[in-house]
Amino acid sequence: MDRVDEIEHRLRNTLTPESLKIENESHLHAGHAGAQGGAGHYAVTIVSERFEGKNAVQRHQLVYSAVKDMMPGEIHALRISAYAPKEILKKL
């Protein structure tokens, strides 16, 4: 299982998202100190009921808790966009 698949597996199992997109942005950080050891840079966009009533810090903590043992060895950076379903409906 590659890293993106592993991140997806963990987030789906812990946060049961309605929507989840994970992008490997490591190529944008070639030469960066964190990338030299092989750790990657990823962007996560996730919509989950678990985020309802939580602020941005609490949402990020939920995401980080699912992948914490992958950091910093496999994941150097994780850009997170986390939404509750009602927030997405308001934007449509």
Side-chain angles (χ1 to χ4, degrees):
M1 184 177 300
D2 75 3
R3 285 184 194 155
V4 170
D5 291 338
E6 181 64 21
I7 295 167
E8 179 177 356
H9 174 76
R10 291 172 181 222
L11 292 176
R12 287 197 184 281
N13 284 341
T14 58
L15 299 173
T16 57
E18 293 181 15
S19 175
L20 176 62
K21 181 180 179 183
I22 302 167
E23 297 177 73
N24 185 342
E25 297 182 336
S26 299
H27 65 283
L28 300 173
H29 303 276
H32 182 267
Q36 291 175 1
H41 290 68
Y42 302 92
V44 172
T45 303
I46 183 169
V47 179
S48 174
E49 284 284 340
R50 296 276 314 272
F51 299 140
E52 192 67 45
K54 298 204 173 12
N55 64 36
V57 171
Q58 293 168 322
R59 293 173 184 197
H60 285 214
Q61 288 171 333
L62 287 170
V63 172
Y64 283 127
S65 70
V67 296
K68 64 184 171 191
D69 64 317
M70 296 178 74
M71 299 177 81
E74 297 176 74
I75 300 172
H76 175 71
L78 193 60
R79 183 168 50 89
I80 302 169
S81 300
Y83 306 97
K86 291 178 185 175
E87 295 169 328
I88 296 300
L89 291 175
K90 289 179 185 178
K91 292 182 180 185
L92 298 177

